[in-house]
Amino acid sequence: MTSPEISESRLSHLDAAGQANMVDVSHKAVTTREAIAEGSLKMAASTLEQIEQGNSPKGDVLGTARIAGIMAAKQTSALIPLCHPLPLSKVKVSIEPDRALPGYRIQATVKTKAETGVEMEALTAVSVAALTLYDMAKALEKSMEIQSIRLLQKTGGKSGDYQASP
């Protein structure tokens, strides 16, 4: 049950009876939309060094994580309830070492031409890339931390553009 104060207009994924539903976006214009998300995986400096030298027992840590992030973006609607399946025209996942962290910075850029945005696809790509990095490197270190997954920016759509604070 939903309280009388909560209206359908405030919570777009609830109907008038408070039941979850997938939002009808058929009335929205098809526009180009892009989202960029980021996150990081913090680890010991020695773990970062071993991965950079190719000394992970599981093989290509970064390549596997990059592919996992791309695949995850394409499967977002199967993972996140009420998320629309979208025709993605671009998914780019970059994973860069950061010795100051120490660890890796992950960034995903996702683009589509559709009635709804791709923020969830970008966030899913970063999340799964980080999880895969962890999985590929856990034999080296189990205390790694996935951190600070967030939306950096989005363009297109009715709500306009968004840019996160630094």
Side-chain angles (χ1 to χ4, degrees):
M1 286 265 149
T2 182
S3 73
E5 298 89 351
I6 298 175
S7 69
E8 185 177 350
S9 64
R10 281 191 42 220
L11 299 174
S12 62
H13 285 74
L14 295 181
D15 65 15
Q19 301 297 311
N21 70 350
M22 189 172 182
V23 175
D24 181 1
V25 296
S26 62
H27 64 282
K28 291 184 170 185
V30 172
T31 61
T32 300
R33 297 154 187 268
E34 185 174 74
I36 302 172
E38 72 173 358
S40 60
L41 181 67
K42 185 177 179 183
M43 60 189 60
S46 59
T47 304
L48 175 61
E49 190 63 36
Q50 287 183 65
I51 294 169
E52 289 294 292
Q53 292 175 1
N55 292 334
S56 173
K58 288 194 172 185
D60 183 4
V61 173
L62 303 180
T64 303
R66 195 174 301 107
I67 290 170
I70 292 167
M71 291 173 63
K74 294 167 42 174
Q75 293 298 314
T76 299
S77 67
L79 299 169
I80 306 295
L82 311 177
C83 203
H84 294 84
L86 296 172
L88 302 183
S89 54
K90 174 184 180 179
V91 179
K92 179 182 178 189
V93 175
S94 65
I95 304 169
E96 301 297 330
D98 181 343
R99 297 202 183 333
L101 190 56
Y104 287 94
R105 302 253 176 224
I106 306 158
Q107 190 172 90
T109 302
V110 181
K111 191 173 185 179
T112 191
K113 194 175 235 186
E115 298 93 340
T116 191
V118 287
E119 297 91 344
M120 293 311 301
E121 286 74 8
L123 289 163
T124 300
V126 169
S127 299
V128 171
L131 287 166
T132 302
L133 271 173
Y134 182 96
D135 181 52
M136 294 293 289
K138 69 185 178 199
L140 301 171
E141 178 186 350
K142 293 191 181 11
S143 62
M144 295 176 287
E145 295 177 26
I146 295 171
Q147 300 179 333
S148 305
I149 296 172
R150 68 183 186 139
L151 181 67
L152 282 180
Q153 69 181 57
K154 75 137 201 115
T155 59
K158 181 181 172 185
S159 67
D161 296 350
Y162 167 80
Q163 180 76 43
S165 302

